[in-house]
């Protein structure tokens, strides 16, 4: 029978199409540029879809965003799709559309090159995957960057020319006014708040007091936020409220970074008078500026809302340069007649900041006053003389104060902190010991038992402490001992807790140890040299007993003896006995020969 094979028709292999996307960008929002952006999108959409070898992957377009930065929304989405493998080729009009920063451009193109993605710049006719592509990109990108710098300089020149004519650079936001056309118009509700801020300052109130006052009354900014010190300072220093404008108070330092910088004389400023209605008269504004300068010179002394002393802003930390601040702490000995209710110390201000740390020690105010009196050669500290003579005090390492006087002289005084000594008086120590004793004796959480604080060493006066160590003879696998904490230098030894319980039971005439009866009858147990334990009863009786420190083995039962005897008989056979006998004879003969040789 004939064999017949069916030949299926072969489908022609179609070439794999490249996934192509385009990127378009305009940097300014206007009707003409909007038309330019839509034209770019339409052009690239039609171009990609008309090529049979390409697969349309979309057009990414950023509207009204500068090319000096890469943090553009559509540009970042394009890069994310490239990393996801959705794009093989990127089309763009020119280098300046893709990026105007040389460094950003080269980093992006190189990253895409590592992913195997090609970038084509139509105007410059550059392919990023070609051999000379990167060289041309570097040169042309530098030209694009210089172009943006030149354009920025031209814009700045035009802005300054308008400022010379008294025309501000755009409609800036300012609290208390709104723009109507090109004219600033007063907002009555906001203007009342501005006048109140100035009046509070004229009344001697600090910015902090005004902040608290507004917070208590629920007064917020235009955006509904709380008034804070920085907002209030901006109001007090803004000359616009006088009906005049000061132009070019800030400027952009670098057109690539777009970083704004306050103009402190680097560029000319333009003062334009009578441009709009005033909220604050010029005389009041000038007085407020002078008063702010005076308060700044005084520092913390100008803020009456702060609790200041003669040491405020005088103490400086040598480690971090911060001023020392005053702190009050509760005195644990306050119920005694000798000490105050609080302890005042001066500490580095760094510790007040979030996450701030400084290793310089706190100085008790009493010690500080004594050190200042010694530096000024005074018997008692005098605040007036201190303020008159001392400029600053540097807190150095090693508990040293360096005094800088107004006459230019410098002296150093060592100080010693007595805070711990002042706090831990003998009365306070006794009270703390009594509290610990009662707490440990009455604690019911299992951490302490009836012997805690009740066993005392007559040799060194210490209280015995409980120790735990492994033990094979104990059912729980561990044994408790009571030892003197200075056992290395003490004549006493450890006491096993189980034997201690047996002794206490026998002393109290009980069949077995009872913790509650023990605590009710015995005040404490004293351990003397030779381990003589003396039990002191609450009724005044004393009873001594010798504690045997030698280990006492467990008596063997008859069954254990028989078992051991049978085991030994099984091990010592006649062969083993004969071998041991011969070995002993050899050892004796060798010993006899060696003794003769000597």
């Amino acid at each position: 029978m004939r064999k017949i094979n069916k030949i299926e028709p072969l489908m022609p292999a179609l070439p794999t199409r490249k996934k192509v996307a385009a990127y378009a960008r305009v940097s300014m929002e206007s009707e003409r540029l909007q038309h330019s952006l839509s034209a770019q999108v339409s052009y690239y959409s039609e171009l990609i879809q008309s090529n049979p070898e390409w697969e349309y992957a979309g057009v990414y377009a950023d509207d009204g965003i500068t090319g000096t930065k890469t943090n553009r929304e559509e540009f970042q989405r394009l890069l994310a799709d490239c990393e996801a493998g959705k794009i093989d080729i990127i089309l763009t009009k020119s280098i300046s559309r893709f990026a105007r920063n040389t460094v950003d451009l080269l980093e992006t193109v190189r990253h895409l090159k590592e992913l195997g993605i090609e970038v084509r710049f139509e105007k410059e006719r550059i392919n990023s995957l070609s051999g000379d592509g990167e060289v041309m990109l570097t040169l042309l990108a530098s030209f694009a960057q210089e172009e943006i710098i030149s354009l920025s300089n031209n814009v700045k020149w035009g802005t300054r020319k308008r400022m010379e004519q008294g025309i501000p650079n755009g409609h800036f936001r300012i609290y208390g006014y709104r723009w109507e056309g090109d004219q600033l118009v007063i907002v009555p509700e906001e203007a009342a708040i501005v006048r109140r801020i100035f009046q509070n300052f004229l009344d001697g109130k600090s910015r902090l007091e005004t902040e608290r006052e507004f917070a208590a009354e629920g007064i917020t900014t235009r955006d509904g936020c709380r008034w804070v010190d920085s907002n209030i300072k901006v109001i007090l220093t803004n000359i616009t409220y006088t009906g005049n404008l000061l132009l070019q108070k800030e400027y952009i330092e670098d057109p690539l970074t777009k970083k704004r910088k306050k103009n402190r004389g680097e560029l000319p400023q333009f003062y334009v008078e009578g441009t709009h209605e005033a909220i604050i008269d010029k005389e009041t504004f000038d007085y407020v500026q002078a008063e702010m300068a005076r308060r700044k010179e005084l520092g913390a002394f100008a803020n009456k809302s702060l609790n200041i002393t003669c040491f405020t802003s005088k103490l400086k930390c040598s480690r971090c340069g911060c001023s020392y601040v005053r702190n009050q702490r509760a005195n644990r000995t306050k119920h005694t007649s000798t000490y105050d209710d609080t302890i005042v110390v001066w500490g580095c201000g760094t510790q007040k900041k979030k996450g701030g740390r400084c290793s310089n020690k706190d100085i008790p105010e009493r010690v500080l006053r004594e050190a200042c009196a010694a530096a000024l050669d005074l018997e008692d500290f005098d605040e007036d003389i201190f303020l008159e003579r001392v400029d600053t005090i540097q807190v150095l390492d090693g508990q040293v104060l360096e005094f800088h006087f107004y006459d230019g002289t410098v002296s150093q005084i060592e100080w010693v902190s007595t805070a711990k000594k002042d706090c831990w008086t003998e009365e306070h120590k006794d009270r703390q010991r009594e509290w610990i004793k009662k707490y440990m004796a009455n604690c019911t959480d299992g951490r302490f038992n009836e012997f805690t604080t009740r066993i005392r060493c007559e040799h060194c006066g210490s209280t015995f402490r409980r120790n735990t160590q492994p033990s094979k003879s104990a059912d729980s696998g561990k044994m408790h001992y009571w030892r003197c904490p200075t056992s290395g230098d003490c004549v006493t030894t450890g006491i096993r807790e189980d034997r201690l319980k047996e002794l206490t039971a026998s002393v109290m005439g009980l069949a077995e140890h009872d913790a509650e009866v023990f605590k009710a009858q015995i005040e404490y147990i004293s351990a003397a040299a030779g381990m003589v334990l003396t039990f002191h009863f609450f009724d005044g009786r004393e009873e001594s007993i010798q504690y045997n420190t030698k280990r006492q083995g467990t008596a063997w039962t008859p069954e254990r003896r028989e078992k051991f005897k049978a085991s030994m008989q099984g091990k010592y056979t006649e062969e083993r006995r004969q071998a041991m006998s011969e070995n002993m004879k050899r050892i004796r003969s060798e010993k006899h020969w060696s003794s003769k040789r000597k």
Side-chain angles (χ1 to χ4, degrees), residues 10 22 73 122 138 163 173 176 228 256 287-288 294 304 328 330 361 369 395-396 477 489 493 595-596:
L10 298 176
E73 183 178 353
E122 290 191 314
T138 305
M163 288 180 179
R173 289 188 69 193
V228 295
L256 300 178
Y287 176 80
V288 168
R294 187 188 70 84
K304 62 183 179 62
Q328 289 187 348
K361 293 184 178 181
R369 294 169 69 92
V395 183
L396 308 180
D489 302 321
T493 59
S595 62
K596 275 188 174 183

Side-chain angles (χ1 to χ4, degrees), residues 23 98 174 263 267 303 327 339 363 378 406 450 524 550:
Y23 178 73
F98 202 70
I174 178 170
N263 188 1
L267 296 175
N303 193 344
N327 301 290
Y339 296 91
I363 309 174
L378 301 174
Y406 284 115
E450 63 273 18
Y524 67 94
K550 293 182 179 180

